[in-house]
Amino acid sequence: MPPAKTSAKPSVMRSVRDIAIVAFGQTDHLRSTDELSEVEMLMPVLHQVLASTGLKTSDIGFTCSGSSDYLAGRAFSFTMALDGVGAWPPISESHVEMDGAWALYEAWTKLLTGDADTALVYSYGKSSPGSVRDVLTRQLDPYYVAPLWPDSVALAALQAQALIDAGDADEPALAGVAARSRGDAAANSHAQLSGSVPQGDYVVRPLRAGDCPPIGDGAAAVILAAGDRARELCERPAWIRGIDHRIEAHSLGVRDLTDSPSSRLAAERAGAFERPVDTAELHAPFTSQEIVLRKALKLGDDVSVNPSGGALAANPVMAAGLIRLGEAAARIHRGESDRALAHATSGPCLQQNLVAVLEGES
Amino acid sequence: MASAPSPEVLRAPLVVEFPFTRSLGPVQSAFLTGLRERTVLGVRTTDGRTLVPPVEYDPVTADEIRDLVEVSATGTVATWAWNHEPRRGQPLDRPFAWVLVKLDGADTALLHALDAPGPEEVRTGMRVRIRWAAERTGAITDIACFEAYEGPEGGEAAPHEGEFSDPVTGIVAPARLDYTYAPGRAQTAYINALSEQRTVGERCPSCHKVYVPPRGACPTCGVATTDRVEVGPRGTVTTYCIVNIKAKNLDIEVPYVYAHIALDGADLALHARIAGIPYDQVRMGLRVEPVWTEGARFPDHYRPTGEPDADYDTYKELV
């Protein structure tokens, strides 16, 4: 398969306005939150990011959210969550039927236009009401693939076996990714799965329970601000130096599952390869996907990968990608990172990928 | 693990089921009709590769591609995954391998199932062939699965017109997802109160509006509405419409009136049917009360109380 058609030397997108993540909040991620509706789960997180910046909902210039009706089992389910952001009188608002990382991308473009100086981005997902493995089959090609109901673990397992056949990984290497992630997650009070977690039995071979993300409910929110507004709202803003997202062919049989050229291209466009990063928050719900991404993004052993525990520690579908951006930004806010890469994915076997480069001012 | 449910948490099964009807373009139509006739078609790209399953646009160049070719029903496993616990809707109801198969003559792989006795019988590079479904309709499931195959390799892809009699031009893809719906804190309280023939709303701590039914948040202030208040049972019709067309399976004679009703103490109108009065005598300002039927979890309808009509100024903010 030849690489996707691109210009010989992709140019790095330079933004016309400096935009930063100035606040990040997330719920504790739990297997089930039956006692709460989506908006009830989301509101404390919204209030947390507003409180940390001192902003009120009426101060926010643009609001964008990510969620999925298929998780909720209800049409237009995101409109219920809008009650939590004070949508009356009317606000400037948008929604993506995707992970909140893509809502953040939309908010970033909105701020670039100068139409707004601040943006609230949030996303949430409750996997507990349904069977997320089956629900995710509905995003597949409806003619040739979805009628076979291949679940999300099965497709990831095909990718893992391709990786093993290529000599890029073996089962102990996959278990090592799981152990490191859950070990790091011990320091993350929001994580659903942390500490020493057994690899367990095969779910779909070669993936064992330990190679798969926990299924759970959760929400996250960030606030973006432009220029001096960001400096007013946050002591050390996490400046978005570049952000890009790319997609590959939907047909799995057309792709090289051991590589992620769309991640690499997005990273290149976001400027990730201009200077080394010290931190990478990768949205890799399966252990095998971290190995694919490390290679595609050329991350060396000196880069701290998923110090939060990553999606193997908590994977609230539709929020897990936004959380990667938030966790990377929070490390910059705390002074633990100067230059971080954040990645989000969507679709089977890393079909769609978003990469952002965040920096703190020294 | 899930914590033990609190007794207040309500749950109900929710099934979402829909037969998605999809049109096929010229390439997908030829491919799926071909499967019905035990013929596997691919499509040739401008740079000479053969894509199976075929698509109408080249995934690399985006060129429109229509050049159909026939490939073999035999092929090689490109990668696989052992599925010991098949799920609903999957091709086989016993343990099987998911496989990406590169059919002889094709340059890309097709996703399907491989029937094999166990994972030790499956490997990347193994030779397989299509096992056709006994009854074929023009769908990807016309391939029942793949099975191990020891015979000779198939030849090169050969040109094919893609013409069949009675071509399949669309598919119906039924989809069913099962959920357990839980309404959350505010709506649970509302539903529980209704079972005692009471209506409760929630007051916003910031703007003091009372929402009914409560959803847990004030859409104006964006804060939780935690202060529970009982409203009604009487209320005022703020606006209404006359329904003249009978809905399917509805056991109510038309015409009837559907109205917005501001319950006493509520700052939001809810909607319900009005009965006990001729349809053409319902009016804005009419005072009404709920009528409960035996064992019902919500009022069947509202009827006039006989009180004088409410003054417009008392409910104009709620219209």
Side-chain angles (χ1 to χ4, degrees):
Chain A
M1 193 72 200
K5 191 200 248 177
T6 59
S7 57
K9 173 80 179 150
S11 62
V12 173
M13 171 76 193
R14 293 289 171 209
S15 57
V16 292
R17 230 182 157 202
D18 287 334
I19 293 161
I21 296 176
V22 296
F24 168 57
Q26 63 183 314
T27 56
D28 290 344
H29 306 292
L30 303 169
R31 178 63 189 90
S32 157
T33 53
D34 275 359
E35 69 285 3
L36 297 176
S37 67
E38 279 93 343
V39 67
E40 288 165 347
M41 179 176 76
L42 180 63
M43 254 187 311
V45 173
L46 298 174
H47 296 161
Q48 185 192 333
V49 291
L50 290 166
S52 77
T53 54
L55 293 169
K56 300 189 296 291
T57 50
S58 54
D59 298 329
I60 296 290
F62 181 62
T63 298
C64 197
S65 60
S67 67
S68 171
D69 281 355
Y70 276 84
L71 278 180
R74 299 192 307 285
F76 292 98
S77 57
F78 76 94
T79 59
M80 297 293 185
L82 277 175
D83 285 350
V85 296
W88 179 265
I91 60 170
S92 174
E93 183 272 341
S94 184
H95 173 259
V96 298
E97 192 75 9
M98 278 190 88
D99 189 288
W102 276 264
L104 184 145
Y105 185 90
E106 182 175 337
W108 176 74
T109 58
K110 183 78 170 181
L111 264 54
L112 280 185
T113 67
D115 274 359
D117 291 331
T118 54
L120 172 63
V121 180
Y122 64 87
S123 60
Y124 61 92
K126 287 181 69 162
S127 297
S128 58
S131 166
V132 72
R133 285 175 68 179
D134 298 325
V135 166
L136 290 177
T137 65
R138 300 301 91 192
Q139 68 183 342
L140 303 170
D141 158 26
Y143 300 96
Y144 301 158
V145 181
L148 306 175
W149 291 82
D151 63 280
S152 49
V153 180
L155 297 176
L158 286 168
Q159 185 174 32
Q161 184 64 43
L163 210 59
I164 290 169
D165 289 338
D168 288 353
D170 53 20
E171 288 196 32
L174 299 182
V177 171
R180 197 212 70 243
S181 296
R182 273 70 180 251
D184 286 349
N188 176 356
S189 63
H190 303 290
Q192 186 179 336
L193 211 55
S194 64
S196 176
V197 175
Q199 273 298 85
D201 295 331
Y202 288 119
V203 182
V204 180
R205 184 171 169 168
L207 293 180
R208 295 176 182 273
D211 295 309
C212 303
I215 295 170
D217 301 352
V222 307
I223 291 179
L224 299 181
D228 289 341
R229 197 81 179 95
R231 294 184 184 90
E232 289 164 23
L233 297 172
C234 179
E235 203 169 314
R236 192 170 193 255
W239 298 103
I240 300 173
R241 296 302 187 204
I243 183 168
D244 196 88
H245 62 101
R246 298 283 155 167
I247 182 172
E248 290 169 46
H250 68 252
S251 176
L252 291 173
V254 169
R255 290 157 52 187
D256 173 2
L257 296 179
T258 68
D259 195 10
S260 182
S262 54
S263 294
R264 189 162 48 244
L265 183 57
E268 192 160 1
R269 294 285 179 137
F273 302 138
E274 294 188 335
R275 283 189 292 121
V277 296
D278 54 48
T279 301
E281 278 285 341
L282 305 180
H283 185 193
F286 297 93
T287 52
S288 41
Q289 295 179 341
E290 183 183 304
I291 292 171
V292 173
L293 288 168
R294 272 179 182 268
K295 188 174 75 169
L297 296 171
K298 306 172 191 173
L299 298 175
D301 290 339
D302 53 337
V303 178
S304 175
V305 173
N306 288 349
S308 65
L312 287 163
N315 189 41
V317 176
M318 297 296 143
L322 181 63
I323 290 171
R324 304 282 71 77
L325 285 143
E327 289 281 8
R331 267 175 83 81
I332 288 171
H333 295 163
R334 294 193 298 262
E336 293 165 6
S337 168
D338 292 321
R339 182 171 159 89
L341 180 151
H343 160 268
T345 195
S346 183
C349 302
L350 302 172
Q351 187 191 358
Q352 303 171 52
N353 296 284
L354 177 150
V355 173
V357 177
L358 308 177
E359 280 184 357
E361 280 162 354
S362 47
Chain B
M1 293 303 292
S3 55
S6 97
E8 278 202 27
V9 173
L10 295 179
R11 286 190 188 80
L14 171 68
V15 177
V16 178
E17 196 165 18
F18 195 76
F20 289 91
T21 304
R22 298 183 180 277
S23 312
L24 303 173
V27 171
Q28 290 178 318
S29 171
F31 175 67
L32 293 180
T33 308
L35 294 185
R36 191 189 67 198
E37 308 302 326
R38 301 183 187 226
T39 300
V40 186
L41 298 183
V43 68
R44 195 90 78 172
T45 64
T46 39
D47 61 1
R49 291 169 307 122
T50 298
L51 307 184
V52 180
V55 290
E56 286 146 351
Y57 295 90
D58 189 311
V60 176
T61 62
D63 289 340
E64 185 173 341
I65 43 178
R66 295 286 184 274
D67 188 8
L68 295 170
V69 291
E70 182 175 354
V71 299
S72 305
T74 57
T76 306
V77 170
T79 189
W80 63 284
W82 186 255
N83 187 32
H84 65 88
E85 255 178 337
R87 303 167 77 79
R88 185 173 72 198
Q90 295 183 343
L92 295 168
D93 57 11
R94 55 184 177 275
F96 68 90
W98 289 107
V99 280
L100 279 167
V101 174
K102 200 175 273 192
L103 291 172
D104 297 335
D107 293 300
T108 61
L110 171 82
L111 177 75
H112 220 291
L114 169 68
D115 190 10
E120 57 287 344
E121 304 293 321
V122 186
R123 61 187 167 76
T124 297
M126 81 180 278
R127 296 284 299 154
V128 295
R129 73 173 164 200
I130 290 173
R131 181 189 298 164
W132 296 103
E135 282 181 33
R136 295 179 307 283
T137 59
I140 192 66
T141 45
D142 288 354
I143 298 175
C145 61
F146 283 87
E147 60 192 16
Y149 169 69
E150 301 295 342
E153 220 169 286
E156 296 284 296
H160 193 286
E161 289 301 312
E163 302 282 342
F164 298 95
S165 61
D166 189 22
V168 177
T169 57
I171 58 167
V172 178
R176 174 185 167 137
L177 293 168
D178 287 69
Y179 300 89
T180 301
Y181 181 68
R185 182 195 56 76
Q187 294 184 87
T188 292
Y190 174 75
I191 293 167
N192 281 338
L194 279 181
S195 69
E196 297 162 9
Q197 303 198 353
R198 295 184 301 119
T199 302
V200 298
E202 285 185 353
R203 192 189 314 272
C204 172
S206 175
C207 71
H208 308 297
K209 272 193 176 170
V210 173
Y211 291 96
V212 56
R215 293 208 300 252
C218 172
T220 305
C221 306
V223 298
T225 55
T226 48
D227 180 13
R228 199 168 296 161
V229 289
E230 189 156 344
V231 297
R234 293 183 167 189
T236 301
V237 172
T238 63
T239 185
Y240 64 94
C241 66
I242 299 167
V243 180
N244 285 292
I245 296 172
K246 198 165 180 161
K248 201 176 169 186
N249 302 325
L250 188 66
D251 192 22
I252 298 169
E253 285 307 311
V254 290
Y256 67 88
V257 172
Y258 209 66
H260 272 193
I261 299 163
L263 294 180
D264 295 347
D267 291 296
L268 193 73
L270 48 70
H271 45 88
R273 185 167 60 92
I274 305 293
I277 179 173
Y279 72 90
D280 56 357
Q281 289 176 29
V282 174
R283 56 203 179 263
M284 290 170 73
L286 182 69
R287 295 285 295 160
V288 293
E289 63 188 3
V291 177
W292 298 82
T293 50
E294 186 67 30
R297 296 213 63 167
F298 50 87
D300 180 70
H301 63 272
Y302 283 72
R303 69 182 171 206
T305 63
E307 294 167 273
D309 284 4
D311 188 54
Y312 180 65
D313 284 340
T314 65
Y315 64 86
K316 67 179 181 186
E317 299 295 330
L318 301 177
V319 175

